[in-house]
Each structure stands twice: as C-alpha cells, then as structure tokens.
C-alpha cells in the first residue's frame, strides 16, 4: 500500500463527519471515493492532506521506494513535501498570478535556495530558477494548457482552470494525487478529455490517483476500486461492478430500499 | 501664495509621503498575508531610529568619518529592527494565528505599548538630538525649494520601492508571498512553508520601516520614544486609503496623504496638520471602504 487510513474519524463539535474509516490505496491504482452529498468525502481528503488534524485514527504513507511513516496531524506543507498533492472541488488557484507562476509556486517545496539566494542572486539560485521555469513549461505542455502560459489564472476558461489546478498539483512531484470532483461543471466532451488526462497521469507519469467524483460514468470507466461513504461511514468497497450492485449503495443513493 | 511656496509644500509633501510609504508597506504586506493590523509596526520604526542614535554615539569614539559612521550605524539599526519585527511575530502573533483576529489585534496593541514604554524606561522620555548625518547634495546648492535631506529621502524610498517590486514579482520568496496572500491554505497545500513566508514578510516590513525611521530622524534632528506612534497610525491610514493588502495602493495612499497634509498645513492651517489624515480616513471609510486600489471585499455566504 502507499496510503492507509486506519479508523479515521473527524468531529466538528458534536457532529461526526468522518466515522472510523479504513481505506487503503496501492501503487499505480485509480481509486474512487463516492457517496451522496455531505457523506464526508471532502472532509476525509482534508484529513489526509493536513487541512484538519483528524480527531481519531491514523494515516500512514509508504511512498514507492520508501518506508512506511505516519503523516497523522502533520502540517499541509509537510504532507505536500512527502508526496501528496490535491485539487479542490471549487477551483482554488492563485487568481492574480500567471499560469506559469501558479505552477512555479507548486514547485516551491522542491527548491533549496532561500531568501539569501533571492537577495544575492548567486549562480546556484539562478540556475535553479531557470530549471523551475523549464520544468513548469514541461508540466503545462503535458497537461495541455501551455498556450495560456502568461495569462492570469483568473482569466482562463473553466476547463483550463481545472487543468491548471492539476498542473500545479503535479509540480509538487507527488506520488499520490487526490482529485476532488475533477469533472464538476464539465461537459461530456471535456469529461472525456479528463479521462485521457487521468489515465496518462497514471500510465506515463506513474502516479497513483485517488478521486472523489459524482459523475458515475467517469467513475465506472476509470476506477479499479471504489469506496462508498454515507453519513461519514464507509458503507461499501469493491470493484465497480460489485459496488454498482450493492444494495446498501443503491439505498444510499436512491433512498428507501428499491428492491421492495 | 506664490509658486515657490507651492513647490516647497509639494516637496515637503513628497518627503512625508516617502516616509509613510516606507512604513505603510509593512502594514499592507503583513495584512495581505496574515490579515492582521500590526499596530506595533510604528515601534519598529522608532527602534530603528534609537538604535542608529546609540550606534552613532558608540562609533564616534572610533573617530571615523561621519558618513562611514552613519552608514554602519544605519545598517546595524536596520538588521536590529528586522530582528525586532521577526521576534514580534514569533512571540506575539504566531501563537495566535488560528485564534480570532481580534485576539492578535489586542496582542499587537499590547506590543506597541510595551515597546514604547520599554524604550522610555531604557532611554528617556525627553526629545534627544539626532545627528543630521544625511550628506549634502552639491547640485541642490543653488536651489532653495528642495533640501538635500528631502532629496535623499525621496530617492532612497524610490530605490527601496523598485527593489521590493522586483523582489516580489520575480523571486521565489516573492511568489510564495503573493500565493500566501491570495490563498493561504492553498499555498500551504502546494507545499509552501507559510510560516517562513510570514517571517520573511515581517523582516522586509521591518527593514523598510527602520529605513524610514532613520531617514526622518536625520531630517528632523530629534527623536523620542513616541515618534513611532503617530507615524504608525498615519502610515496605517495611508495603507487603508490605498487599499490595505495592496502594495501599489500603500505607496499611492502614502503620497496622497503626505501631499494632503502638506498642502492642508500650508494653505489652511498648520494647527490642523494631523487632523487631515483622519478626515481622509473618515471620508475613505464612508465612500470607498476598500481603498483607492483595493478590491471590494466579496463576502462569502
């Protein structure tokens, strides 16, 4: 496994948003987390990426070629350094920075030169900066938005903004990419292109993908395994076919038991 | 009311504006990222002036040329003040980062009072003479309207602004600062060490504040523990006027405020000099609460 959540719970006051969830992700997989609105999916992502320290439970990672460590309660930037990157359901770019700058900020945690370098402008700092600009262009090419490189992020068309979020996440050099509703607001054609992109990230960039998605066709097409949450609890887990026919899942999505 | 008088007021307004700008930058940069009004910022400016005075007194023993003494004293004072700004953040604001904003604000006011009174006890509450060590600029000899020190203040400020703009626009640290100002949580999630970025912001703000404190003291020729208070409040007004959080806004607001004060004092009454700043503040809060270059705050619902 490369990510393992054990008995993870998150309380907000008296409300238990995530309730003793166990999830395991293996290298090279595409795994989906689905469930009705308010099931606690995004809260789960927030716990994993350090936005909230979980109330209970543990999160461990085991990066490819590394050793198993706990990341429970670490600061988000430390977790990003360890190789987890994510995107948001409602796009959160740096709106007043250019596309290139957005990607460069993502690269920040992999750089060595500090404030002294920024002031002294020594050779190592300059070389590093050139390298970052070069790498960032490469990433934008891979994601397919290099034509927007010098535009302000806020002026990008919606689909390109979504892609830029993925580009910025990739810039942090993650081994695991968490996508929170990547297809939200996209039309069927854009969703198809997103399919290709996600598959390419897995097959070419060797990333493991863990995604939250409401678009069931995308989920069924891409994921190898699916976890289903409802009211903070994990109610089902399995292959797309298994999940599709699971009565608990059908009930969670459609309300009262349909079999009757 | 002749032209010469007008020019005098103009230059005096630009000088004031420069000093306000050097201070307002610190307010606006810190507010941009931490959403905190650092009320102790004016004290850093005052400490910059006091440290310079102490260093000049010490270095005089060495019998160096006055310009060398001034430069060394100023550099030491700038580094020392930067240390104050950094420490201020670490002990008074960082522990309150996740607390309600009001708590950090109270902490800032507390630090301001503490630093003022500590300098009063350590030094004196009297005005102390400050050496006018700014060199004379030869080519201004035949010109009455603009003094050498005014000229130096204005050029130094311009140079500082240009360097700062380049720093924020092009360096990696500058990018992290902008990213953190636009979305702090997202910056953290992309791996930016926001705590470090905030420290750098305090360092830079303190450096520019100290430069302002040293320049104005060498121009006016006297200091006491209280100089940071009024200057700090006015620079804060300037930052709000320009749109707090915006760096070009802070500079613009500072010059608007400096010129208004100067012309108001010259053409209306110098008794009301300090009142103009607050009249402007009231007007801007009524008619354009987000400031000249500030964006109207979009309320999240």
């Amino acid at each position: 496994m490369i990510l393992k959540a054990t008995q993870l719970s998150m309380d907000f006051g008296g409300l238990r948003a995530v309730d003793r969830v166990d999830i395991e992700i293996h290298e090279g997989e595409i795994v989906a987390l689905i469930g009705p609105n308010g099931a606690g999916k995004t809260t789960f992502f927030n716990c994993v990426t350090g936005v909230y320290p979980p109330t209970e439970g543990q999160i461990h990672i085991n990066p490819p070629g590394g050793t198993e460590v706990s990341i429970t309660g670490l600061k988000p930037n430390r977790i990003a350094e360890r190789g987890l990157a994510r995107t948001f359901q409602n796009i959160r770019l740096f709106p007043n920075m250019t596309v290139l700058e957005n990607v460069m900020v993502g690269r920040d945690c992999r750089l060595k030169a500090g404030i002294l370098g920024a002031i002294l402008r020594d050779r190592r700092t300059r070389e590093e900066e050139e390298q970052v600009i070069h790498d960032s262009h490469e990433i934008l090419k891979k994601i397919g938005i290099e034509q927007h490189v010098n535009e302000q992020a806020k002026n990008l068309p919606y689909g390109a903004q979504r892609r830029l979020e993925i580009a910025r996440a990739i810039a942090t050099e993650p081994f695991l990419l968490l996508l929170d509703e990547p297809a939200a607001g996209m039309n069927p054609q854009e969703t198809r292109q997103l399919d290709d992109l996600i598959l390419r990230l897995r097959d070419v960039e060797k990333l493991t993908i863990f995604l939250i998605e409401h678009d069931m066709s995308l989920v069924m097409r891409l994921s190898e395994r699916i976890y289903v949450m409802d009211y903070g609890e994990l109610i089902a887990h399995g292959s797309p076919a298994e999940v599709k026919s699971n009565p608990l899942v059908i009930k969670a999505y459609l309300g009262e038991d349909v079999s009757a | 009311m002749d032209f010469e008088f007008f020019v005098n007021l103009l230059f005096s307004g630009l000088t004031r504006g420069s000093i306000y700008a050097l201070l307002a930058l610190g307010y606006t940069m810190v507010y941009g990222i931490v959403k905190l009004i650092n009320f102790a910022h004016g004290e850093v400016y005052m400490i910059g002036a006091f440290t310079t005075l102490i260093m000049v007194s010490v270095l005089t023993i060495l019998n160096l040329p006055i310009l060398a003494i001034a430069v060394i004293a100023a550099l030491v004072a700038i580094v020392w003040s930067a240390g104050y700004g950094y420490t201020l953040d670490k002990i008074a604001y960082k522990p309150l980062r996740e607390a309600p904003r009001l708590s950090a604000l109270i902490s800032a006011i507390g630090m301001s009072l503490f630093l003022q009174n500590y300098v009063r006890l350590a030094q004196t509450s009297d005005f102390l003479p400050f050496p006018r060590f700014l060199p004379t600029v030869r080519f201004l000899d035949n010109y009455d309207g603009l003094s050498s020190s005014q000229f130096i203040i204005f050029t130094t400020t311009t140079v500082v602004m240009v360097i700062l703009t380049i720093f924020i626009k092009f360096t990696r640290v500058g990018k992290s600062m902008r990213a953190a100002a636009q979305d702090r949580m997202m910056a953290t999630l992309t791996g930016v060490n926001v705590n470090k970025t905030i420290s750098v912001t305090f360092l830079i703000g303190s450096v520019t504040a100290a430069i302002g404190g040293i320049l104005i003291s060498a121009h006016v020729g006297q200091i006491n523990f209280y100089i940071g208070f009024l200057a700090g409040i006015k620079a804060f007004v300037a930052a709000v006027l320009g749109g707090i959080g915006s760096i070009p806004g802070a500079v613009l607001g500072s010059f608007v405020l400096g010129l208004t004060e100067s012309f108001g004092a010259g053409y209306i009454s110098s008794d009301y000099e300090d009142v103009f700043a607050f009249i402007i503040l009231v007007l801007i809060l009524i008619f354009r609460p987000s400031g000249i270059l500030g964006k109207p705050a979009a309320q999240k619902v």
Side-chain angles (χ1 to χ4, degrees):
Chain A
M1 68 90 196
I2 61 167
L3 176 79
K4 185 169 74 183
T6 327
Q7 293 290 296
L8 198 78
S9 297
M10 181 73 215
D11 295 345
F12 295 104
L15 176 81
R16 177 148 280 209
V18 175
D19 193 6
R20 286 163 294 156
V21 168
D22 289 304
I23 283 182
E24 244 189 83
I25 313 279
H26 303 282
E27 190 179 348
E29 278 187 311
I30 298 180
V31 181
L33 178 59
I34 64 170
N37 286 321
K41 306 180 296 292
T42 299
T43 307
F44 178 79
F45 265 29
N46 283 340
C47 289
V48 170
T49 50
V51 177
Y52 313 127
T55 316
E56 278 163 38
Q58 290 291 321
I59 307 156
H60 285 84
I61 54 164
N62 189 357
T67 47
E68 185 174 324
V69 283
S70 166
I71 55 163
T72 322
L74 286 186
K75 291 245 173 62
N77 58 315
R78 295 278 167 241
I79 292 177
E81 277 170 21
R82 285 173 187 273
L84 264 64
R86 76 175 284 186
T87 64
F88 274 85
Q89 188 177 331
N90 45 337
I91 304 175
R92 283 177 78 170
L93 294 167
F94 304 118
N96 297 317
M97 294 171 91
T98 66
V99 168
L100 182 67
E101 285 173 341
N102 265 278
V103 178
M104 287 171 76
V105 170
R107 201 46 152 206
D108 194 87
C109 64
R110 299 286 167 232
L111 304 185
K112 285 175 197 71
I115 172 123
L116 218 62
I119 293 165
L120 300 174
R121 321 263 335 131
D122 57 315
R123 211 187 65 201
R124 225 192 60 210
T125 310
R126 286 200 310 270
E127 280 172 2
E128 196 176 72
E129 263 168 32
E130 275 161 31
Q131 188 63 42
V132 172
I133 293 175
H134 177 261
D135 293 350
S136 303
H137 274 108
E138 289 298 308
I139 293 168
L140 288 171
K141 244 178 245 164
K142 276 179 211 157
I143 306 295
I145 47 171
E146 76 272 25
Q147 71 275 25
H148 297 295
V149 66
N150 288 318
E151 282 174 50
Q152 298 257 297
K154 63 179 171 200
N155 297 335
L156 251 52
Y158 183 82
Q161 290 198 2
R162 281 238 169 259
R163 277 170 180 260
L164 176 54
E165 256 212 321
I166 295 176
R168 184 181 57 188
I170 308 249
T172 65
E173 296 184 335
F175 63 85
L176 174 64
L177 185 60
L178 298 111
L179 303 172
D180 194 346
E181 293 196 33
M186 286 187 168
N187 62 34
Q189 192 209 342
E190 286 171 327
T191 309
R192 282 282 174 189
Q193 289 169 350
L194 185 70
D195 276 19
D196 294 343
L197 178 63
I198 292 175
L199 285 173
R200 240 182 323 127
L201 290 175
R202 195 262 304 263
D203 299 333
V204 183
E205 307 298 324
K206 305 293 175 212
L207 292 175
T208 305
I209 313 277
F210 188 20
L211 57 93
I212 295 175
E213 189 47 70
H214 280 300
D215 184 331
M216 280 310 133
S217 60
L218 181 138
V219 169
M220 295 302 161
R221 278 197 305 272
L222 290 181
S223 25
E224 282 134 12
R225 289 191 301 129
I226 299 176
Y227 285 94
V228 190
M229 279 178 82
D230 193 24
Y231 293 108
E233 287 178 62
L234 215 52
I235 57 163
H237 159 226
S239 69
E242 284 166 359
V243 164
K244 231 192 288 191
S245 56
N246 187 319
L248 279 170
V249 178
I250 298 168
K251 193 177 157 198
Y253 272 91
L254 298 177
E256 275 319 294
D257 49 332
V258 219
S259 52
Chain B
M1 298 288 168
D2 49 26
F3 182 66
E4 200 178 311
F5 184 58
F6 173 83
V7 171
N8 271 330
L9 292 178
L10 177 69
F11 286 137
S12 130
L14 289 176
T15 311
R16 277 166 183 273
S18 303
I19 300 296
Y20 293 154
L22 287 171
L23 259 173
L25 281 174
Y27 279 107
T28 215
M29 286 194 301
V30 165
Y31 185 85
I33 300 180
V34 199
K35 305 285 176 258
L36 161 79
I37 307 294
N38 176 14
F39 272 114
H41 191 54
E43 274 34 89
V44 174
Y45 156 103
M46 178 266 294
I47 283 167
F50 265 96
T51 313
T52 310
L53 182 60
I54 293 166
M55 283 310 293
V56 167
S57 317
V58 171
L59 291 168
T60 315
I61 305 165
L62 295 179
N63 234 344
L64 292 167
I66 177 73
L67 198 64
I69 292 178
V71 169
I72 298 170
L75 286 177
V76 171
I78 287 168
V79 172
W80 189 248
S81 311
Y84 264 92
Y86 178 85
T87 315
L88 204 56
D89 171 49
K90 279 281 175 286
I91 63 173
Y93 307 142
K94 189 164 176 258
L96 296 170
R97 207 80 89 205
E98 308 305 326
R101 275 158 65 179
L102 208 52
S103 314
L105 193 71
I106 302 292
S107 183
I109 294 171
M111 286 317 287
S112 168
L113 291 172
F114 169 77
L115 289 174
Q116 275 176 33
N117 287 291
Y118 141 71
V119 173
R120 177 162 70 172
L121 289 175
Q123 301 294 322
T124 159
S125 58
D126 300 329
F127 269 98
L128 299 172
F130 194 95
R132 295 167 188 267
F133 54 51
L134 296 181
T136 319
V137 185
R138 283 272 160 256
F139 70 85
L140 289 173
D141 275 355
N142 304 322
Y143 189 66
D144 293 334
L146 177 63
S147 75
S148 287
S149 55
Q150 285 180 325
F151 175 77
I152 289 170
I153 288 174
F154 188 67
T155 32
T156 312
T157 306
T158 313
V159 171
V160 170
M161 301 293 155
V162 170
I163 293 174
L164 191 65
T165 309
I166 293 171
F167 183 84
I168 289 176
K169 183 90 193 124
F170 295 108
T171 67
R172 172 191 167 203
V173 183
K175 281 194 195 74
S176 333
M177 285 170 71
R178 281 186 289 149
Q182 288 174 39
D183 191 336
R184 198 160 115 202
M185 178 47 82
M186 197 59 235
T188 316
L189 281 165
T190 24
V192 174
N193 187 339
V194 172
N195 275 326
K196 210 163 117 192
T197 309
I198 292 171
S199 293
V200 173
T201 310
F202 272 92
L203 284 175
I204 296 174
S206 305
V207 166
T208 63
I211 293 174
I214 297 164
L215 287 173
I216 195 69
S217 305
H219 175 62
V220 175
Q222 56 174 11
I223 58 172
N224 79 347
F225 73 96
Y226 206 57
I227 55 166
F229 180 72
L230 196 58
I233 295 283
K234 287 198 187 159
F236 168 60
V237 171
V240 171
L241 176 61
I244 192 134
S246 151
I247 291 175
V251 176
L252 180 67
S254 299
F255 283 106
V256 169
L257 184 66
L259 290 168
T260 312
E261 281 193 343
S262 175
F263 285 116
Y267 288 123
I268 302 170
S269 162
S270 58
D271 292 341
Y272 293 109
E273 196 184 284
D274 294 335
V275 176
F276 297 117
F278 300 105
I279 293 177
I280 292 193
L281 181 63
V282 170
L283 290 178
I284 201 84
L285 288 178
I286 294 172
F287 294 109
R288 204 178 151 80
S290 52
I292 304 173
L293 297 183
K295 284 178 288 294
Q299 193 73 44
K300 262 193 200 131
V301 281

